[in-house]
Amino acid sequence: MRKPIIAGNWKMFKTVGESLAFVSEVKGKAEAAGVESVICAPFTNLPALVEAVKGTTLKVGAQNLHFEDNGAFTGEISGVMLKDLGVEYVIIGHSERRAYFAETDETVNKKVQAAFKHGLTPIVCIGEKLEEREAGQTKNVCKVQTEAAFAGLSAEQAAQVVIAYEPIWAIGTGKSSTAADAQDVIGYIRELVTGLYGAETAAAVRIQYGGSVKPNNIAEYMQQPDIDGALVGGASLEPASYIDLIKGAE
Ligand SMILES: O=C[C@H](O)COP(=O)(O)O
């Protein structure tokens, strides 16, 4: 049985003070039995957040990591450093990182391996651009990105990966994929994992939908057999909305 997971991706929003105010608002309210609630915050906010969520069921994630443990990589943060802070999750290969920071399928794979090396759970983002969808390439794009992300992982590691299927045209646009379309692609992604590792591993992998998920549409996605949660940007920033997302996922 897969435990649903709602992850808020705050992107480049919130100061430390704003993060702490958010946690004190949602504490005790963004907790639904059987739903894992994660906040993926900017690096600067992680130490304070890890401290603030102690004693709650909220978990903290980063939005990126470097694949090396340390070295001359100005401005980067490694898995060693995240683990040292007490961070549990890390988003890898978000489409904004692929588009603006030159992340490739190869670096995504290296980062997934680095996450496992340091005991972090990777939330691996995949998804097609609008022109790829219009050209009927959605599943092909997801196949290439999924296979690359999982390269070299053991079945035991693969089972722990969280995949976030985010059609790029649906991110921050208010144009969400229909629940049926999202299920179609996510069901296909699970078949891909079955092909790579077998049915038992594929049945354990959690696959989220992301792209304009809001409190008023989360339930439709959660009703789909292969959708195990959501990676949420805009609607995760306000405490009331975040609480409603968690409740809606129950
Ligand atoms: O990581 C989250 C996604 O980019 C979705 O963002 P959004 O919910 O604002 O569309």
Side-chain angles (χ1 to χ4, degrees):
M1 191 58 191
R2 299 184 295 269
K3 187 171 188 180
I5 173 167
I6 302 295
N9 175 11
W10 282 356
K11 307 192 178 183
M12 199 173 72
F13 290 98
K14 293 196 191 292
T15 61
V16 173
E18 289 164 347
S19 298
L20 294 177
F22 179 97
V23 173
S24 57
E25 273 292 304
V26 304
K27 230 178 195 172
K29 298 180 197 146
E31 291 170 31
V35 179
E36 207 159 342
S37 339
V38 185
I39 297 168
C40 298
F43 289 129
T44 45
N45 302 1
L46 296 175
L49 272 174
V50 167
E51 201 49 40
V53 302
K54 281 188 178 151
T56 77
T57 56
L58 289 165
K59 295 184 173 169
V60 176
Q63 300 171 9
N64 183 29
L65 83 171
H66 195 278
F67 48 78
E68 295 291 349
D69 291 355
N70 45 54
F73 300 107
T74 301
E76 291 292 316
I77 303 283
S78 73
V80 179
M81 297 165 182
L82 295 176
K83 189 65 185 173
D84 182 53
L85 289 182
V87 165
E88 293 182 65
Y89 288 83
V90 58
I91 297 174
I92 296 175
H94 190 281
S95 61
E96 288 150 16
R97 297 222 45 99
R98 292 179 191 252
Y100 309 139
F101 302 98
E103 297 220 356
T104 63
D105 287 341
E106 192 190 350
T107 59
V108 167
N109 178 249
K110 287 183 175 179
K111 290 179 179 203
V112 171
Q113 309 242 17
F116 279 118
K117 182 174 173 193
H118 299 295
L120 301 162
T121 299
I123 300 175
V124 181
C125 301
I126 62 167
E128 82 285 3
K129 298 177 187 144
L130 182 59
E131 57 269 31
E132 291 166 336
R133 167 157 289 235
E134 287 173 346
Q137 287 301 309
T138 297
K139 288 184 178 172
N140 193 38
V141 168
C142 290
K143 181 175 194 290
V144 170
Q145 293 180 342
T146 302
E147 289 179 351
F150 278 81
L153 297 190
S154 66
E156 196 192 333
Q157 290 171 327
Q160 293 167 54
V161 172
V162 178
I163 301 175
Y165 165 60
E166 300 203 306
I168 297 170
W169 48 270
I171 295 177
T173 58
K175 289 186 206 153
S176 51
S177 174
T178 65
D181 271 356
Q183 164 60 34
D184 182 47
V185 180
I186 288 175
Y188 171 73
I189 295 165
R190 198 174 303 285
E191 280 171 25
L192 288 174
V193 181
T194 305
L196 293 172
Y197 293 96
E200 199 182 321
T201 301
V205 169
R206 292 182 294 175
I207 312 181
Q208 301 172 308
Y209 167 73
S212 297
V213 174
K214 309 283 176 210
N216 67 9
N217 62 16
I218 181 81
E220 292 165 42
Y221 294 111
M222 297 307 295
Q223 280 156 16
Q224 304 301 315
D226 285 295
I227 301 183
D228 305 312
L231 181 60
V232 187
S236 73
L237 289 167
E238 291 304 320
S241 164
Y242 184 76
I243 293 164
D244 287 346
L245 286 165
I246 306 297
K247 301 281 181 211
E250 219 174 0

